[in-house]
Amino acid sequence: MIKNIFIKIKDEEDGAVIVIVAILMVVFLSLLAITLDVGSAYLETGDLQKAADAAVYSAGRLLPVQQTDTAAINGIKDSAINYAELNGYSGLTYDKIVLGNIVNGNYTAIKVTADKSVNMTFARIFGVNTINITRSAKAMLSPKNKMTGLTPIGMLKSDFDAMIQSGNTKHVVLKYGKGGGVNGFFGALDLDGSKGGGASNYSLWIAHGYPGEVTLGDVLLYENGNMVGPTFEGFSERYNSCTHYGATTGGDGCTAEHFDPDCPRVAKVAVYYINSSYTAIVCGFASFVLESQTSDGYITGSFVKTLTYGGSSTGGSAGSSGDFGTYSLMLSE
Ligand SMILES: [Zn+2]
């Protein structure tokens, strides 16, 4: 009798253990299934982010674009789709590419949203066939706070502001010649901030740009004298170095209407204000497509907003303080 009771208890224990093991197996296999599927989705998420980043960073190089320029807007969207595809993502469409941060009628930022449904393998057992993943990336123009390759031409901030306000941004006199200028200043700056070097430095910088870095707040000296000869030589060399838009086959080359941002004809100039001790303090950087010069020292060019390489940016968005139309591209999300 006593022996029978013991056998019964043992049988019941065995049954309970089998049930517990069965439940644990189900829980364990479920966790394994979820872990494997979530893991593969996570890997896909990384790839998707990479494709979104590449799309905005590559297409963003075409910023800024005018709000009304449909061809340019489609061009930038096509570029984003193309770079997403090159990075393994073929699901990008126009409606997932949004241009934004409008400054003076120009888009200065691009955002891309990439989404994808990832097929599940094990989670199908529980009725989950796919999960959707979404990644986005944004790139924006940010005003320069440091610049390399400047030409030794300066523009007074009050002149720059007046130019923007009047809307007369084409064929602007950047450097005055004989009889021009104010108080004997012809618009040329000594970019290395140290006296000496004179005409030879100046001519090199007109032709090839100043190799050093100029930062917001730097104090620059005025270049003494009119520098007519060195200006003429340096300008000719720079102007004739354009290789774009048919320049080498008798065409116009770069103009304010169409230009390569890295063309030597796109001259980067320091915008400055004068402090109480009559020194020039750099407060921004602007770009002009050079157009003409006269043999007596005048240079004219047209103002353009452009992305340039070299230097660095303030990290602020376009339109924030210190924006004189020359930018770096930065990923902002
Ligand atoms: Zn060019």
Side-chain angles (χ1 to χ4, degrees):
M1 183 64 186
I2 290 169
K3 193 182 169 191
N4 283 347
I5 290 169
F6 277 124
I7 287 167
K8 196 166 180 240
I9 289 170
K10 192 167 182 298
D11 284 348
E12 282 176 359
E13 277 180 354
D14 282 350
V17 166
I18 287 164
V19 169
I20 289 166
V21 166
I23 291 169
L24 284 177
M25 280 295 282
V26 169
V27 170
F28 175 72
L29 287 173
S30 307
L31 285 174
L32 185 66
I34 291 164
T35 306
L36 287 170
D37 279 345
V38 167
S40 74
Y42 181 77
L43 288 177
E44 295 258 7
T45 303
D47 290 344
L48 201 58
Q49 186 69 58
K50 234 187 280 174
D53 288 349
V56 292
Y57 205 70
S58 302
R61 288 184 299 191
L62 300 172
L63 294 171
V65 291
Q66 279 182 359
Q67 260 182 298
T68 50
D69 190 344
T70 312
I73 290 167
N74 290 343
I76 200 168
K77 289 187 173 183
D78 289 339
S79 174
I81 289 168
N82 183 31
Y83 278 96
E85 278 172 359
L86 288 173
N87 284 275
Y89 177 64
S90 56
L92 193 58
T93 48
Y94 270 22
D95 59 317
K96 299 287 172 65
I97 306 165
V98 179
L99 301 179
N101 193 24
I102 297 162
V103 179
N104 299 326
N106 286 279
Y107 290 115
T108 65
I110 179 170
K111 184 174 180 177
V112 155
T113 305
D115 45 27
K116 189 175 188 179
S117 63
V118 180
N119 290 326
M120 297 289 99
T121 310
F122 302 101
R124 282 172 184 272
I125 301 162
F126 308 103
V128 181
N129 293 336
T130 59
I131 61 169
N132 292 320
I133 55 174
T134 302
R135 278 292 175 267
S136 65
K138 185 180 172 188
M140 67 174 198
L141 298 184
S142 180
K144 290 278 188 188
N145 69 344
K146 282 184 204 288
M147 187 72 111
T148 54
L150 282 177
T151 50
I153 296 172
M155 187 174 225
L156 201 56
K157 183 177 182 295
S158 54
D159 288 345
F160 183 91
D161 292 342
M163 176 188 81
I164 296 297
Q165 268 169 20
S166 70
N168 297 321
T169 58
K170 306 280 180 237
H171 323 304
V172 179
V173 175
L174 296 169
K175 185 188 171 299
Y176 296 94
K178 284 173 185 148
V182 182
N183 301 327
F185 174 57
F186 301 97
L189 293 172
D190 191 343
L191 294 174
D192 63 8
S194 64
K195 285 189 162 51
S200 59
N201 269 349
Y202 176 80
S203 183
L204 269 177
W205 298 341
I206 283 273
H208 304 290
Y210 174 54
E213 201 170 57
V214 173
T215 304
L216 295 186
D218 279 1
V219 177
L220 301 180
L221 301 172
Y222 294 137
E223 188 69 68
N224 292 321
N226 194 354
M227 300 288 192
V228 169
T231 300
F232 195 84
E233 287 161 25
F235 179 99
S236 298
E237 189 176 347
R238 177 181 284 269
Y239 190 84
N240 294 330
S241 303
C242 174
T243 54
H244 318 101
Y245 297 99
T248 52
T249 51
D252 286 344
C254 289
T255 66
E257 281 64 48
H258 50 75
F259 60 90
D260 183 301
D262 294 320
C263 181
R265 277 191 199 174
V266 182
K268 295 173 270 186
V269 311
V271 181
Y272 66 95
Y273 64 91
I274 299 170
N275 70 1
S276 54
S277 50
Y278 298 101
T279 42
I281 315 291
V282 178
C283 59
F285 304 100
S287 298
F288 290 83
V289 177
L290 297 176
E291 289 163 333
S292 64
Q293 68 166 340
T294 63
S295 57
D296 59 355
Y298 284 88
I299 289 181
T300 56
S302 287
F303 173 67
V304 288
K305 293 190 169 205
T306 185
L307 189 72
T308 64
Y309 295 99
S312 61
S313 76
T314 61
S317 55
S320 58
S321 71
D323 181 357
F324 294 90
T326 301
Y327 309 102
S328 287
L329 184 68
M330 56 179 277
L331 285 177
S332 61
E333 268 179 25

